[in-house]
Amino acid sequence: MGRARSAAALLFALTSPTLWAAGGTGTYPLDWGHPGETLEYRSCGCADSCWVAEVKNRRTRQTLARLRCDCERLFSQTGARGPEVERAPSCAAFEGTADKPGAIRQALQELLGR
């Protein structure tokens, strides 16, 4: 009976949509150039069309600004508790460029008024 349960659990895990939806990469830094802050990027899937980029205070780790693409639309947020708003109906401005990190950096600088 133990093997049957183990096999059933494995089959369930392999067919679970949440397992397949959890693709992506770990978080890694992008060039930011503002002392005391860091820019972090992570992909969440959709062939790198689902991603989150966050500017954080290096010491407190508090989020200062965030850009997020959900595979289609672009969202932004200023501050750790600010409302997330749709910034564009598509993420094409980032996906169609040779310098995606540079485009993300520029958009976050504009969002922060720098």
Side-chain angles (χ1 to χ4, degrees):
M1 189 77 161
R3 281 188 176 170
R5 281 188 180 168
S6 295
L10 178 60
L11 181 61
F12 176 76
L14 291 175
T15 59
S16 171
T18 55
L19 178 68
W20 297 110
T25 62
T27 300
Y28 61 90
L30 297 179
D31 289 335
W32 182 238
H34 294 273
E37 298 173 356
T38 184
L39 172 54
E40 298 175 351
Y41 176 90
R42 72 181 174 277
S43 172
C44 45
C46 296
D48 203 30
S49 292
C50 176
W51 51 266
V52 177
E54 295 177 310
V55 175
K56 294 184 176 189
N57 179 295
R58 193 177 301 269
R59 184 180 51 79
T60 66
R61 303 294 300 150
Q62 181 178 7
T63 300
L64 304 175
R66 173 184 294 126
L67 283 179
R68 179 177 71 85
C69 181
D70 70 354
C71 302
E72 294 178 9
R73 298 172 297 160
L74 182 68
F75 298 90
S76 66
Q77 180 181 0
T78 305
R81 300 189 197 277
E84 183 178 69
V85 296
E86 186 172 335
R87 185 177 172 99
S90 112
C91 301
F94 300 95
E95 304 308 323
T97 180
D99 184 16
K100 182 176 179 177
I104 289 171
R105 183 174 44 254
Q106 181 179 355
L108 283 164
Q109 287 176 344
E110 290 172 9
L111 186 61
L112 290 167
R114 298 184 181 163

